[in-house]
């Protein structure tokens, strides 16, 4: 167990809808990252939040957005869903400090299916 | 885009044998990490090796890193059926936060 939880575990949406995925980080971790993993592929970095500010973004359009809250929780929002958004969405929490980067701990993921 | 490439894509061995997986990457890195994933679920962190380290051990795992060749290998000794999973290498380039760039993974099957 990594101490990182995600909800919901599975979700079915239709094209054009909006979705919010949630993540609860390990207590004390100041950084959360979100990844998209298509079937049969490795995870792709979406973006990262550090102390509630976006701190880096991968090659994803603006309809992918996020929030990080002071209570170690975070959200990934996707607007105008497309069929290709069907994937496993993973969040990972870590501690980034002056001592350097630490291991990222992943949640179990939310599997999103867009019909 | 994927930075790392794992080799082989799939590996099938018998219980008790050793399994070796390789990873190559393209840019300079801050560290390299190996993860395991069972049946499309969450990733489990196995080991992290920093760019100034050459070898690291953790239980039955041995990781090597050759920054001159931009490559790493993961060795699992005395494999067990429970080691059956997908294994991914991920690099942290040390820029713009601690984003990880993953390869496409090696599917390991350990037959009892």
């Amino acid at each position: 167990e990594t101490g990182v939880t995600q909800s919901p575990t599975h979700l079915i949406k239709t094209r054009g809808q909006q979705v919010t995925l949630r993540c609860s980080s390990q207590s004390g971790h100041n950084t959360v990252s979100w990844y998209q993993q298509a079937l049969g592929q490795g995870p792709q970095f979406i973006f990262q939040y550090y102390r509630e500010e976006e701190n880096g973004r991968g090659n994803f359009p603006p309809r992918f957005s996020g929030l990080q809250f002071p209570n170690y929780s975070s959200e990934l929002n996707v607007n105008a869903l497309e069929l290709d958004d069907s994937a496993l969405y993973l969040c990972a929490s870590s501690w980034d400090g002056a001592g350097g980067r630490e291991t990222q701990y992943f949640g179990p993921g939310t599997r999103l299916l867009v019909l | 885009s994927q930075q790392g490439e794992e080799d082989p894509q799939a590996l099938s061995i018998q219980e008790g044998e050793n399994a070796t997986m390789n990873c190559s990457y393209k840019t300079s890195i801050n560290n390299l990490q190996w993860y395991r994933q069972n049946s499309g679920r969450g990733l489990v962190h196995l080991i992290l090796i920093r760019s100034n380290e050459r070898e690291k051990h953790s239980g039955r795992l041995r990781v090597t890193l050759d920054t001159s060749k931009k490559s790493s290998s993961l060795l699992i000794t005395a494999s067990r059926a429970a080691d059956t999973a997908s294994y991914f290498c991920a690099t942290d380039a040390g820029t713009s936060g601690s984003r990880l760039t993953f390869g496409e993974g090696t599917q390991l099957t350990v037959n009892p």
Side-chain angles (χ1 to χ4, degrees):
Chain A
E1 292 295 324
T2 63
V4 180
T5 60
Q6 291 185 245
S7 63
T9 55
H10 295 82
L11 200 53
I12 300 175
K13 291 285 190 179
T14 55
R15 204 167 37 178
Q17 285 189 312
Q18 178 267 343
V19 68
T20 297
L21 309 182
R22 294 181 172 83
C23 172
S24 179
S25 300
Q26 274 198 24
S27 178
H29 281 184
N30 57 11
T31 303
V32 64
S33 304
W34 285 89
Y35 295 82
Q36 179 196 66
Q37 186 178 21
L39 201 61
Q41 298 190 13
Q44 298 254 15
F45 176 77
I46 303 175
F47 46 56
Q48 182 181 86
Y49 279 79
Y50 172 69
R51 293 183 174 176
E52 301 166 47
E53 299 275 341
E54 186 176 297
N55 182 42
R57 188 176 186 93
N59 189 26
F60 282 82
R63 60 189 184 85
F64 285 78
S65 63
L67 287 170
Q68 184 186 24
F69 304 102
N71 66 349
Y72 309 117
S73 67
S74 60
E75 289 180 356
L76 164 65
N77 298 290
V78 187
N79 294 322
L81 283 166
E82 300 176 0
L83 297 180
D84 285 349
D85 295 334
S86 296
L88 181 68
Y89 288 85
L90 298 159
C91 76
S93 75
S94 60
W95 167 257
D96 282 12
R101 293 181 174 81
E102 299 287 333
T103 299
Q104 292 193 24
Y105 295 92
F106 282 79
T110 292
R111 187 163 296 283
L112 173 65
L113 177 61
V114 182
L115 300 176
Chain B
S1 63
Q2 305 283 10
Q3 149 134 277
E5 291 184 4
E6 277 97 339
D7 168 50
Q9 288 188 329
L11 181 60
S12 181
I13 59 174
Q14 296 299 123
E15 247 185 344
E17 293 181 338
N18 296 340
T20 300
M21 288 160 267
N22 302 298
C23 167
S24 60
Y25 56 92
K26 297 173 185 172
T27 64
S28 60
I29 61 171
N30 184 53
N31 64 62
L32 184 146
Q33 303 178 39
W34 285 90
Y35 286 84
R36 184 185 75 219
Q37 185 176 42
N38 290 84
S39 301
R41 298 294 291 165
L43 295 161
V44 175
H45 181 261
L46 296 176
I47 198 163
L48 180 154
I49 187 165
R50 301 193 188 280
S51 60
N52 60 353
E53 297 175 312
R54 291 296 167 257
E55 187 171 314
K56 207 161 183 180
H57 294 81
S58 176
R60 294 184 296 114
L61 306 179
R62 171 180 171 252
V63 169
T64 61
L65 179 65
D66 186 336
T67 53
S68 67
K69 295 181 180 178
K70 292 187 169 59
S71 68
S72 173
S73 68
L74 170 68
L75 169 67
I76 304 174
T77 60
S79 63
R80 306 165 182 168
D83 294 330
T84 294
S86 293
Y87 291 80
F88 294 91
C89 71
T91 54
D92 177 354
T95 59
S96 181
S98 53
R99 67 171 68 185
L100 294 177
T101 303
F102 285 83
E104 298 204 353
T106 293
Q107 172 61 48
L108 173 66
T109 302
V110 181
N111 301 299

